[in-house]
Amino acid sequence: MATQYWLMKSEPAECSIDDALAAPGRTVPWTGVRNYQARNFMRDGMQVGDGVLFYHSSCAEPGIAGLARVASACRTDPTQFDPASPYFDAASRPDAPRWLLVDVQALRKTRLLPLPELRAQPALADMPLLRKGNRLSITPVTEAQWQAIQALLA
């Protein structure tokens, strides 16, 4: 299967690109996804080795902050069963979990590519991140969009 590309949002106060780079093996479990479409992207679309744009959201300056890769197959997100977790889901059962995760391995921190710079690129006009009202934490990225972003980071 051909490599696919994804944009994955994380709040830097919870897990920044620096946190991911400092983690053992530079790998973090992508916990807390609580949107069915984003979950389905992980479950049905992601493969080990896929490229990831590591995006900082809900912060002073949101933007692409690093590059990563999908490092594991999809599996059950244990935070849904932990009452102490902000991602606890009382309706989810261990025999029928609702929520999944993949491991993400940080490859490198990049200069921040903020939204205004991304919006100024005609090659990125159709990127889901830049569509009005899109709040998904995981979105697909086309190969052309991936290449356009790589050119901005060169």
Side-chain angles (χ1 to χ4, degrees), residues 71-112:
S72 76
C74 196
R75 67 180 188 277
T76 301
D77 180 345
T79 64
Q80 67 195 303
F81 307 121
D82 180 0
S85 171
Y87 302 115
F88 176 65
D89 181 350
S92 191
R93 301 184 332 261
D95 62 330
R98 288 184 184 180
W99 306 113
L100 305 169
L101 66 81
V102 295
D103 289 325
V104 173
Q105 182 181 42
L107 300 175
R108 71 180 177 97
K109 185 175 182 173
T110 64
R111 73 176 182 85
L112 186 74

Side-chain angles (χ1 to χ4, degrees), residues 2-149:
T3 299
Q4 297 181 92
Y5 305 99
W6 307 93
L7 182 134
M8 298 177 76
K9 295 179 182 177
S10 180
E11 296 178 14
E14 186 166 325
C15 182
S16 69
I17 187 67
D18 292 325
D19 295 333
L21 286 165
R26 299 178 311 185
T27 303
V28 293
W30 209 264
T31 60
V33 173
R34 296 299 184 265
N35 174 283
Y36 287 106
Q37 187 173 3
R39 177 209 61 191
N40 293 349
F41 285 141
M42 288 191 296
R43 182 189 68 198
D44 302 333
M46 287 186 176
Q47 301 291 323
V48 172
D50 283 357
V52 172
L53 299 172
F54 198 112
Y55 185 90
H56 284 174
S57 67
S58 300
C59 58
E61 190 170 20
I64 296 169
L67 300 176
R69 70 176 196 92
V70 176
S72 76
C74 196
R75 67 180 188 277
T76 301
D77 180 345
T79 64
Q80 67 195 303
F81 307 121
D82 180 0
S85 171
Y87 302 115
F88 176 65
D89 181 350
S92 191
R93 301 184 332 261
D95 62 330
R98 288 184 184 180
W99 306 113
L100 305 169
L101 66 81
V102 295
D103 289 325
V104 173
Q105 182 181 42
L107 300 175
R108 71 180 177 97
K109 185 175 182 173
T110 64
R111 73 176 182 85
L112 186 74
L113 287 177
L115 281 172
E117 185 174 352
L118 296 171
R119 284 193 175 104
Q121 304 301 314
L124 303 178
D126 291 332
M127 198 169 182
L129 170 72
L130 304 178
R131 290 189 195 134
K132 207 171 195 77
N134 182 5
R135 297 184 39 103
L136 283 177
S137 62
I138 298 172
T139 54
V141 174
T142 67
E143 185 168 356
Q145 292 163 347
W146 179 267
Q147 294 305 327
I149 289 168

